[in-house]
Amino acid sequence: RPNDRALAMVISDPGLFELLSPLGFALAASLEGVSVRIYFQAKAVRVLKKGFTPRARGWMRPLSRFPFKGLERAGHLHPQEKLRQLRGRGAEFYACGPSMDHFKVGRDDLIFPDVKIAAYLTFMAVMAQSDIHVFVQ
């Protein structure tokens, strides 16, 4: 059931393992009726790009498909599938415009047409209206 709680989350890292918990917590919050708003900045704007494939960081990067397949077998959804579910539950997504420019992600590349392109000042207003804040670096 909807309630008056709101979650504002900032995600900066598109790593395979770095996305697991934040998106899982966002889904759990939405299931509890919490409004969810997520701001993707820095390299994480790539998560919103069509065809995004999550990869492990560091020395595990070349072997990313193995932990990804293991996570799928354990029941973890692809990050973009989690985003689709969140969107279906009313979540709002924001992408940092300067980060999109830097990492060459165009508006036409985005998986959802209603992603809001914004800068820090815009999302600060969203955060001011939220009582739960999560930052993932």
Side-chain angles (χ1 to χ4, degrees), residues 9-15 19 38-49 52 57 94-106 110 118-120 136-137:
M9 182 179 288
V10 177
I11 298 179
S12 304
D13 192 326
L19 291 170
I38 305 176
Y39 183 75
F40 293 87
Q41 67 173 7
K43 289 181 183 180
V45 296
R46 293 176 177 160
V47 176
L48 296 171
K49 189 174 181 177
F52 168 75
R57 288 176 30 187
Y94 296 77
C96 174
S99 294
M100 287 178 64
D101 292 341
H102 182 77
F103 292 102
K104 299 183 181 15
V105 177
L110 298 175
Y120 295 139
V136 183
Q137 300 239 347

Side-chain angles (χ1 to χ4, degrees), residues 50-115:
K50 294 172 189 163
F52 168 75
T53 301
R55 301 203 190 307
R57 288 176 30 187
W59 67 272
M60 291 269 308
R61 187 173 177 82
L63 308 171
S64 291
R65 68 186 165 106
F66 297 113
F68 182 68
K69 291 295 181 193
L71 290 169
E72 280 184 331
R73 279 192 302 278
H76 291 280
L77 300 173
H78 187 287
Q80 287 190 340
E81 179 55 32
K82 289 180 181 177
L83 295 178
R84 281 184 192 85
Q85 289 185 13
L86 282 163
R87 184 172 178 250
R89 299 191 57 75
E92 296 176 9
F93 304 119
Y94 296 77
C96 174
S99 294
M100 287 178 64
D101 292 341
H102 182 77
F103 292 102
K104 299 183 181 15
V105 177
R107 178 166 273 296
D108 292 340
D109 297 326
L110 298 175
I111 57 172
F112 307 123
D114 56 349
V115 172

Side-chain angles (χ1 to χ4, degrees), residues 1-5 25-35 89:
R1 290 181 214 158
N3 59 44
D4 60 351
R5 310 279 320 263
F25 279 116
L27 269 171
S30 77
L31 290 169
E32 289 293 320
V34 176
S35 297
R89 299 191 57 75

